[in-house]
Every structure is written in C-alpha cells, then in structure tokens.
Amino acid sequence: MIKVSVLYPYRAAANFDMDYYCDSHMPLLQETLRPALKGVAVDKGLGGGAPGSAPAYVAIGHLWFDSVADFEGAFGPNADVILSDVPKYTDIEAIVQISEVMID
C-alpha cells in the first residue's frame, strides 16, 4: 500500500478554502481516481510544536493506492482536471510525497 500526501505549507498571507477542499476537491479526486483510489483523509493544521506557533502545514491531503503504478495510472489521464481545480481553493504551491505505508 502507498500513500500520496499533498502538503500545503503555511504562509500568513496564503489563501486556503478548507470547505471547498473537503466538500468539492476531495470528492472530485474520489470520482476521477476510482477504482484505484482506496481511501482519502484530510488533516487541518492547528499549530506548531511551540505553544501559539503557526502550523507547518495549513492542510495535508492523503490518498491511498495499492501501488505507485496504480496511482500513476489513475492520476495521469486525469491530471488536467484535478490540477485545474487547485486554484479554486488555494494559491499555495503544494509539496507531494509518495510513501510506502509501513504501519496502518
């Protein structure tokens, strides 16, 4: 099992519409990436390690697939649709990490 994490670094002046991300963008991913997509989760950053500090990431989206090949096969043909939706909820340049899930 692999997990694709899309991390949105916190910036004081950045725009991120969490409602749109959860209510519209994630369902778009679920629709366009199925049946390869096995699950999704969204983390909302609340704070950093020090009391009162900003979070490192305003949001992190997680997508699970059986393999990197399954992710690439599902995302590739749908990349234009998915990426064209991003400006509707943020102006943050995301960081993407693909990980092997070791403990679930």
Side-chain angles (χ1 to χ4, degrees):
M1 176 84 47
I2 63 118
K3 177 172 61 173
V4 178
S5 298
V6 184
L7 303 96
Y8 297 91
Y10 173 84
R11 271 192 355 248
N15 296 313
F16 195 92
D17 184 338
M18 185 63 73
D19 290 334
Y20 186 90
Y21 186 64
C22 291
D23 299 337
S24 296
H25 187 71
M26 295 308 277
L28 171 70
L29 293 178
Q30 290 171 308
E31 178 68 25
T32 58
L33 299 177
R34 73 175 179 201
L37 181 64
K38 302 304 180 190
V40 300
V42 174
D43 299 340
K44 178 181 179 180
L46 298 178
S53 66
Y57 301 99
V58 66
I60 305 172
H62 304 283
L63 312 170
W64 284 269
F65 297 87
D66 285 332
S67 68
V68 173
D70 286 350
F71 163 65
E72 291 172 345
F75 183 80
N78 296 295
D80 290 344
V81 170
I82 293 167
L83 297 176
S84 69
D85 194 52
V86 172
K88 295 178 182 176
Y89 65 88
T90 193
D91 59 0
I92 299 170
E93 186 174 337
I95 298 167
V96 176
Q97 177 167 307
I98 300 173
S99 305
E100 181 179 0
V101 177
M102 303 303 294
I103 299 174
D104 187 11

